[in-house]
Amino acid sequence: MKTQTRAGLFIGMGLTLTAMCAEVGWNGTGSWFDPTAWPGGALPATNDVVNISAGSRVTFAGAPDAVSQVERVNLAVTGDETPATMDISSGQFKLTNFNLATASNAVGRVVQSGGDLAIGKSSWSLWLALGSAAGGKGTYELSGGNLSVSGNINVGQNGEGELLQTGGALTASGWLVVGYGAGVTGRYEVSAGTAQIGAGLIVGEHGVGHAVIRDAGTNTMNRLGINGVSELELQPGGTLILAYAEKQANGPGDDGRLTLDGGTVVYRGDVALQSNFISNTLDHVYVKDRGVTISVPENTVAVSQKPLEAHPDATAGDVTKIGGGTLSLQGANTFKGKLKVQ
């Protein structure tokens, strides 16, 4: 059963209707593009807010040039732990906000294998929120298509959040925050596809974040911040492209970890030069057995007084520098392998 409520605003002396806001409730299974699946037999309008209840499954599979635009989607607005799922495979979807799990014990899941999803307008205050409410859990699985956010992505807003990328293209003009809310956990994993994060990646803002870049995953950003209870792992095949990395100082703890266990870290030279490529404010920069390749295509950058440490479990781990620029290792490094220059 689908339900719909509408609220109008009247101003002036003439009772003229100047604005119409609609909230459309979805409870069931069906196609977003099927008018008969919606209240009143019509697709939601541009200013509508769509509320999708627990246990529902919505399929967004339109023609390549099919466009649907709404103001906001709240996925999993009731909290009985039965997932509300949205499958996106084709077509174009535009909205200002997308919130997953907006009630305690709610579970919201998006599976995008194709199509184009564009969220936000021009303000960084507009976002994709995974785990919007305390006690909820939101998961976004991206395997194909394009996910574009004009603003921030919070993975673990007030509840638990996961962003799992196995393909496709992710872009955000603001921040990708993994573990935003105090006491919450966020997880971000990319194993294929590309991620372009305009401002940067924060692994643990007020909560606990865990990020993994591996296999054929590539993540490009300006700044990487890791708080004292969180970790980013770079594993074989993964590529991390950035201007600089430092501690996320407003988070808790003093055991944050940038763990290098394969893959390549690339200094991003197309933004303002940051001489402290990897800052001494980070709690730990660990090198594990599979080592790391550090690419400096140009300029001179430093691992500033921060040693590249041997991970407590490491018995090996080479550090290989490539590229025409200069890398200055200024700390008392303790990694187990060799330092190589190619």
Side-chain angles (χ1 to χ4, degrees), residues 190-245:
V190 53
S191 59
T194 59
Q196 296 272 347
I197 312 302
L201 171 63
I202 297 175
V203 186
E205 176 119 20
H206 307 288
V208 179
H210 187 204
V212 179
I213 303 173
R214 60 181 176 85
D215 299 336
T218 300
N219 196 308
T220 302
M221 68 196 71
N222 185 19
R223 173 185 179 271
L224 169 65
I226 305 173
N227 76 5
V229 293
S230 301
E231 181 177 32
L232 184 145
E233 294 183 73
L234 182 64
Q235 297 180 0
T239 302
L240 175 62
I241 304 171
L242 74 163
Y244 65 108

Side-chain angles (χ1 to χ4, degrees), residues 57-204:
R57 190 161 201 133
V58 184
T59 301
F60 192 98
D65 59 350
V67 180
S68 183
Q69 182 171 348
V70 297
E71 179 65 20
R72 182 168 70 251
V73 171
N74 297 318
L75 180 65
V77 297
T78 51
D80 67 359
E81 299 184 350
T82 305
T85 303
M86 189 169 199
D87 296 297
I88 303 171
S89 59
S90 57
Q92 301 175 46
F93 194 16
K94 299 179 180 180
L95 62 162
T96 301
N97 295 91
F98 201 175
N99 302 311
L100 276 62
T102 62
S104 180
N105 296 319
V107 179
R109 178 172 176 249
V110 175
V111 180
Q112 183 179 356
S113 59
D116 296 289
L117 176 57
I119 303 172
K121 293 180 180 177
S122 60
S123 171
W124 282 12
S125 65
L126 304 170
W127 55 51
L128 167 63
L130 309 182
S132 181
K137 180 179 179 179
T139 300
Y140 202 112
E141 300 172 20
L142 177 64
S143 62
N146 300 294
L147 171 58
S148 176
V149 181
S150 295
N152 300 328
I153 302 173
N154 284 351
V155 183
Q157 170 80 8
N158 296 300
E160 185 179 350
E162 291 182 317
L163 176 55
L164 308 175
Q165 185 178 2
T166 58
L170 167 67
T171 59
S173 64
W175 298 95
L176 170 56
V177 183
V178 184
Y180 173 81
V184 306
T185 299
R187 179 176 178 83
Y188 169 54
E189 185 168 325
V190 53
S191 59
T194 59
Q196 296 272 347
I197 312 302
L201 171 63
I202 297 175
V203 186

